[in-house]
Amino acid sequence: MGIRKIRVNDDPILKRVSRQVEVFDDRLHSLIDDMKDTMYDADGCGLAAVQVGVLRRVIVIDIGEGPIELVNPEIISAEGEQFEVEGCLSLPGKSGITKRPMTVKVKAQDRNGKWCQYKGEGLKARAFCHEIDHLDGHLYTERLIPEDAAKEILKELETE
Ligand code: NI
């Protein structure tokens, strides 16, 4: 267990595509445990392995319901849309409004290689999409909506 260094800003690794996990061994388990420690230490609700410099398709998420570990995750369906403020531990001090699906279904392997399915709605759907994007080298800043539309949405969010 341990806290790993989070790669930030222009670190070129953040743009790279992560590889499938094929070996479900102790090394993978330590990576997952360290990722959870690192996520909690940084007060985040999700983390992808690439953010700690490991190009493997592994993400961890905790939106306040306990940790979920996903290995080789894939979005198998997406419905609806949502516009919410999003940030990233790799882009400290920044945030922006993105368009994401309202609900997603995800399939992934657990730390021992067993396939499972997950459903996410609202914040959880956003977390799945955001972290899976990291595995393909994408950051939320590529999903930002235009500034004028963002201002309108911020106004609505403030009056809610
Ligand atoms: Ni992120």
Side-chain angles (χ1 to χ4, degrees):
M1 302 271 273
I3 292 160
R4 301 200 188 187
K5 185 172 173 263
I6 297 179
R7 306 297 188 93
V8 295
N9 298 325
D10 296 328
D11 192 316
I13 202 169
L14 294 171
K15 298 269 159 111
R16 292 183 57 190
V17 175
S18 296
R19 294 182 296 270
Q20 291 285 121
V21 172
E22 274 151 23
V23 181
F24 296 81
D25 58 0
D26 286 349
R27 208 161 157 219
L28 174 69
H29 298 175
S30 314
L31 169 67
I32 293 171
D33 290 336
D34 286 358
M35 283 171 63
K36 286 193 283 188
D37 287 347
T38 307
M39 170 179 73
Y40 291 127
D41 179 66
D43 231 351
C45 59
L47 193 74
V50 59
Q51 292 181 275
V52 293
V54 179
L55 286 167
R56 289 288 173 189
R57 302 189 79 84
V58 180
I59 64 175
V60 294
I61 285 170
D62 190 342
I63 57 154
E65 299 172 348
I68 316 174
E69 311 166 355
L70 301 101
V71 179
N72 300 327
E74 281 172 51
I75 293 173
I76 49 177
S77 70
E79 275 177 41
E81 56 184 32
Q82 56 173 320
F83 300 89
E84 294 287 344
V85 180
E86 201 163 314
C88 178
L89 293 176
S90 290
L91 300 173
K94 295 189 184 128
S95 64
I97 295 180
T98 57
K99 180 182 174 183
R100 297 286 191 187
M102 182 53 93
T103 58
V104 292
K105 270 189 202 151
V106 174
K107 69 167 188 174
Q109 284 167 285
D110 69 11
R111 60 167 64 206
N112 298 309
K114 186 177 165 254
W115 284 98
C116 311
Q117 276 198 29
Y118 300 87
K119 201 179 160 195
E121 197 179 339
L123 174 58
K124 202 168 182 181
R126 281 213 307 283
F128 282 139
C129 294
H130 178 116
E131 301 311 330
I132 292 172
D133 264 357
H134 272 301
L135 304 182
D136 293 314
H138 298 300
L139 296 168
Y140 80 87
T141 44
E142 294 166 48
R143 313 277 183 210
L144 293 176
I145 62 169
E147 211 172 308
D148 289 353
K151 276 183 195 151
E152 287 299 310
I153 289 170
L154 275 179
K155 254 189 252 164
E156 281 171 34
L157 289 175
E158 274 164 21
T159 53
E160 261 172 25

